[in-house]
Amino acid sequence: MKLKNILLSLAILCTISFAETPAELNARTMIGMESGLNNIQKGFLYNNFDLVKYGADQIMKENTVYHDRKVIKSILPKGKQQMENIALITSNRVDNSITELKTYVELKDIRKAQDAFINVVKACTDCHNIIRGW
């Protein structure tokens, strides 16, 4: 019985020690989104549309973190939690622009795909404006 309690305590301790803080989650997510943006840009520069699609998929995957109001609120700085709706709308703009980008790449309308990419960057910048107070 005592060994069982010790093992259970160790398991709980390990779980707690590996849990991400909101700041760590946000940092990890931002690194993934940055990688996606870089892959899209490189794909356009080198005429590699598989890389564009891969980068778009990276962004879509990472952006799902910002679909949860509780997560958004936990990430926003003190005094800015009331802006969670704006952050959620911005996250939806990212999704919509990525979907548009992927559609235009499939249609081989690269000019419109690039415009959609610019809209992704604008949405990212809008959220950064909130967080950083630019």
Side-chain angles (χ1 to χ4, degrees):
M1 184 69 170
K2 205 171 205 182
L3 180 60
K4 185 178 176 182
N5 288 340
I6 291 171
L7 290 175
L8 182 60
S9 296
L10 285 173
I12 291 170
L13 182 62
C14 286
T15 302
I16 292 170
S17 65
F18 291 117
E20 279 184 310
T21 66
E24 291 168 336
L25 173 63
N26 191 47
R28 182 178 51 79
T29 302
M30 284 292 118
I31 289 168
M33 291 183 84
E34 176 192 12
S35 176
L37 289 170
N38 287 336
N39 283 326
I40 292 170
Q41 188 170 14
K42 283 180 189 176
F44 283 135
L45 290 172
Y46 299 115
N47 205 35
N48 182 339
F49 300 116
D50 287 335
L51 189 56
V52 172
K53 291 180 214 173
Y54 175 70
D57 289 339
Q58 284 179 285
I59 292 172
M60 287 289 273
K61 176 182 172 261
E62 296 296 341
N63 193 43
T64 60
V65 168
Y66 304 116
H67 295 172
D68 183 338
R69 288 179 183 278
K70 289 180 186 174
V71 172
I72 292 171
K73 201 166 194 169
S74 72
I75 291 170
L76 287 170
K78 297 277 185 241
K80 294 191 179 188
Q81 284 88 11
Q82 75 278 8
M83 296 184 174
E84 71 181 272
N85 285 336
I86 296 169
L88 183 61
I89 290 167
T90 302
S91 174
N92 290 333
R93 285 176 48 212
V94 169
D95 282 349
N96 292 337
S97 295
I98 288 293
T99 299
E100 187 178 338
L101 179 148
K102 290 168 75 174
T103 299
Y104 285 126
V105 167
E106 289 299 318
L107 294 172
K108 306 282 192 252
D109 191 339
I110 303 310
R111 180 67 181 128
K112 286 184 180 175
Q114 290 170 334
D115 288 342
F117 175 66
I118 290 168
N119 289 333
V120 172
V121 174
K122 285 180 181 178
C124 292
T125 303
D126 287 347
C127 197
H128 288 209
N129 286 340
I130 293 168
I131 301 296
R132 298 173 182 167
W134 292 344

